[in-house]
Amino acid sequence: MSHFYGLPFLRTLMAEATKSDARSVYDPDRLRFALTVLPGAGDLKALRARLATVLGSDRFGLEPMFDTVEPGEPVTYTFTPNGLDRTLPEDVLFSIAGDLRVELGLIACDPDLGATAYAEPVKDVPSATEGVVMDAVCWVKGDAPEPKTWALDKARVLQAWAKSPGKGKGIVVAQPDTGITDHTEFADTTIDFTKTLNLVEGGTKPTDPLSSSMSNPGHGTGTGSVVASGEGGKMKGSAPKATLVPIRCINDVKIFNAAPVAKAIDHAVQKGAHVISMSLGGIPSFALRQAIKRAIAKDVILLAAAGNCVGLVVWPAAYPEMIAVGGTNIHDKKWKGSSHGPAVDFSAPAEHVWKAVATDPAAPKTKIEGGQGTSFATALSAGVAALWLGHHGRAKVIQAARARGASVQALFRTAVQQTARRPAGFPSGLGAGVVNAEALLGLALGDIASAVVESAFEDPSGGIDEALTRLLGPGKADPEFDWDALGPEVAALAIADSRAGRDARGPGRETRAFRRASAELIEAAAGSRDPRLAQLALRGSPPAPAIIMPAPVDGARLAKVLSGLGAAAQPGLSVESASGVDPKEGQARLNATGRKAALAPLQRRLEKSEKTVDLNRLDRGLATLHREGTSARLGETTLMQLEALVSLTERPALAVSYRTTPEGKELQTIDTTDPELGRFAGLIELARPDLEAGPLQAVGRIDGDGIHLGTGFVVGPGLVMTNRHVLEEFASPLPRADKPKRWQMVRTTTIDFSPSGNDPAQKFAVEAVAFAGPQQIQRLPISFAKLDMALLKVQTVNAAGMALPKAFTVNQDAGWRGADANLFVVGFPAPPGAVPRDERGALRHDVIERLREIFGLNYRRKYFSPGLAQAGTQPWVFNHDATTLGGNSGSVIGALSGDLPAVGLHFAGDWLRANHAHDLAVVRAKAPAFAALFP
């Protein structure tokens, strides 16, 4: 089943590999696979020889993942080609893995994806590249409660200390994480540096570098303090006398690689850990589950965070044999970001839990503050496990488990569930209740209920069936499906969809993330007896989600509507000024004449569309507002439609279409009589002939393997500009992600300049990369200091004989941005891939209704959107307020003045509110390699 994007592609890459690579094989950026062979299928030397033959190269690293091999068990090896970063798309990585598995006769071959499955919520979240950043939805505003031991009190840890003054002394808690750094909270913590390890940089020192490129610098310091901060600090860990063994195995909690975590678990077991606390998560892998089972067999207790900001329980917590910890708040309610479901065993405080803070190497190492996430619930619970082992004596616990034919892991899980606090109204999906350390230590070993033995946890899907049920509805995991081989890819697709808001019920049923499935998974899923697999793997273009959910009708929303209507009725006053208008002014203007004036723009728009709105209902709603003001009671549908009349107006997206001149020539044009153009109407009408002469034609839709990826525009002979993050969807930087030597196309890529984006006569092949910003965009935090730009070499004449459209003039005047400079965006907005929500997690009804009003269901075609330029946060970045969506990435920002030059490159946005673009004049001045292309 080998195909171009499988082994042949890897061979091409390996031919360019360096002779050696000094980096750790577990470096987060390296291209890496975990290869698992059958018991007795050959040693390291034999596997290396077979790999070299299959690859046509010996330029790779290969080493056993685990220090020892248990009799009769499969053996897993870590395979890393020299000098190559992991820059390939997920479906390509899985295709390579599938071919390696077949060629080498492996049980499993799992690529490390750097899966973004586990987010740590933060207060201030930067905008994403045309997407929803889930962290913002998870963050709960406010300060951590006093006293600083409140979380310990909710878990009855303080009371447990009275029962067991040893406070975990002699118990070793290992913590695979980002490592630790110096902090006063560790002043009297026992840290055993003879057992620590650094898998990222190599060596044994687990020092967290606190790099600015990390999403969560200091994460390991924070979670470590919740486990074992000593009694002399400002806060206290749940097991202050336990021995902490930090293992640096990840560089970012957000970016999960299974192989280093599996290696860290094995190292912890070999070094004598009694408890392993994992405040991280991602997708499953054979090696990860193998490491967990080996640890459980060695009488180790393993706990993992259920997950944050994703909904689904992530791995390793989702494995049936793992202990999965959910998150609660001070009121014993669900922390809003906690993953939940049947896989969660119990919960612990996760909202505003006091922790040590270390985010900057130069900052004082004394700060503590409240943290949020199941990371801290897990760390606190790991400390409780240490208290339990120390209280009873680990030898006696092992003896009690043996007598029952169960593991220590199963015995601890059962004991915690048996003693957990379950207050009235405790949320479902968070396990047995809140961990109760006092009751747990008070429960004699002989009084623990029958523990479920590990054999009862056998689940062929490894917890994936639960994820499928959550996303797609009930079903039964197909026992004949090769879960070891294909399960990780299924889980990756499921988690991506869950982060985008997909759900088996309600508004998220049609939501999809932009992900592709490998050819192998598509084939296997289509033949499976579980139709959910096919539904997940056979992925077309994601449709726009149908989003209507009830929300409370409150006076604040009605006041906003009335203020907006009042502003709209005052000459010269823009809708943006509505916040300063007394709602009573709007109420007073809603007599019969005022209502007619308010509804007139909507009526004119409806006359030009196929959409239907009940104007009589709206008129009745306005009349009710006129009578009752902010105390009115309106239906949700009526209220949302009224909000659409006054919110986010004068920022339409006009569909680009054709008009035929008297001479019979077809020109791309826009409707300049659209009533929502407002202040822009006259200016755009003046510019219309010039827009038709070139700028509208010069913008095209970029497709990879026939799927819409973004937008591009012509800037020179055979040159198209787009974003680097769009480029990363169809080409891979080699050999490294940053400052690559070259780019390898991994999709058949075209750009189509027709209004529909789907006219073969106007498609041009993308042939190569002429220029790209030097730093990777996709997997790192959004940073406006990075240049999210690429220039593509394309055909100058396509297969239909059409010449490339006339190029935009690329602006050189750095002073073009005056106060509120008028601009336009031309691009191909795609359906929203996630449900828009505000910082409270509530649906953005104004955005939802505005999207319907502007686009209906007509996406992936060319639109023209006017707006204003605004100040930016970096010299080469400015903001704008034109209407954009995902798919607009790579859109041109043109100035509505002069010869309509391209002044900016759109690269990121947040739901019609804050959009960001690179200033091309400033880029020319700061990037000589870019400027050289425009003499």
Side-chain angles (χ1 to χ4, degrees), residues 344-346 410 412-421 431-433 440 452:
V344 176
D345 293 295
F346 55 83
F412 177 69
R413 175 195 284 109
T414 302
V416 174
Q417 291 177 327
Q418 186 176 339
T419 57
R421 285 192 306 108
L440 175 68
V452 180

Side-chain angles (χ1 to χ4, degrees), residues 755-894:
S756 68
N758 193 28
D759 182 355
Q762 298 196 51
K763 283 189 191 299
F764 289 73
V766 176
E767 298 175 329
V769 180
F771 169 84
Q775 293 174 289
Q776 188 180 36
I777 303 296
Q778 290 282 47
R779 296 188 182 279
L780 297 176
I782 297 300
S783 170
F784 293 162
K786 299 173 187 172
L787 182 59
D788 191 2
M789 175 185 288
L791 289 174
L792 311 177
K793 294 181 181 179
V794 301
Q795 292 175 307
T796 55
V797 178
N798 69 6
M802 177 182 170
L804 195 67
K806 177 184 174 182
F808 274 89
T809 299
V810 178
N811 179 52
Q812 300 186 56
D813 177 14
W816 74 275
R817 263 193 284 159
D820 292 340
N822 296 295
L823 53 77
F824 64 89
V825 176
V826 183
F828 289 79
V835 179
R837 297 178 184 272
D838 62 18
E839 66 277 0
R840 296 178 293 110
L843 288 169
R844 284 285 310 275
H845 291 281
D846 57 339
V847 174
I848 293 165
E849 286 305 302
R850 187 60 178 150
L851 291 176
R852 286 188 177 137
E853 173 69 15
I854 293 173
F855 299 107
L857 293 176
N858 200 4
Y859 294 94
R860 304 193 188 283
R861 67 170 337 277
K862 192 181 298 188
Y863 283 90
F864 171 97
S865 306
L868 299 176
Q870 301 160 342
T873 57
Q874 293 280 341
W876 65 12
V877 173
F878 66 92
N879 298 339
H880 69 89
D881 61 4
T883 296
T884 64
L885 286 173
N888 276 108
S889 292
S891 292
V892 64
I893 311 289

Side-chain angles (χ1 to χ4, degrees), residues 550-562 565 590 595 616-645:
V553 177
D554 56 40
R557 290 176 68 189
L558 292 172
K560 181 180 177 182
V561 169
L562 289 169
L565 291 169
L590 293 181
R595 295 198 298 274
N616 290 329
R617 172 189 279 184
L618 287 181
D619 185 64
R620 290 193 298 270
L622 291 173
T624 302
L625 286 178
H626 181 54
R627 291 192 311 271
E628 303 176 17
T630 55
S631 62
R633 301 291 296 175
L634 299 177
E636 178 66 15
T637 300
T638 300
L639 180 56
M640 288 194 296
Q641 289 178 341
L642 290 176
E643 287 176 318
L645 286 175

Side-chain angles (χ1 to χ4, degrees), residues 6 32 54 131 149 157 235 344 440 723 736 773 828 846:
R32 179 172 50 248
V54 166
T149 54
V157 169
M235 56 165 287
V344 176
L440 175 68
N723 296 138
R736 307 294 294 273
F828 289 79
D846 57 339

Side-chain angles (χ1 to χ4, degrees), residues 685-741:
E685 174 58 26
L686 288 172
R688 184 172 58 83
D690 293 329
L691 287 167
E692 292 176 346
L696 293 178
Q697 172 69 38
V699 180
R701 192 180 85 184
I702 296 176
D703 290 0
D705 291 345
I707 295 179
H708 178 199
L709 301 177
T711 298
F713 56 99
V714 184
V715 292
L719 284 180
V720 165
M721 181 179 291
T722 189
N723 296 138
R724 173 165 165 162
H725 81 259
V726 173
L727 169 64
E728 289 172 2
E729 293 288 353
F730 62 83
S732 293
L734 298 174
R736 307 294 294 273
D738 290 346
K739 299 180 180 179
K741 292 181 179 178

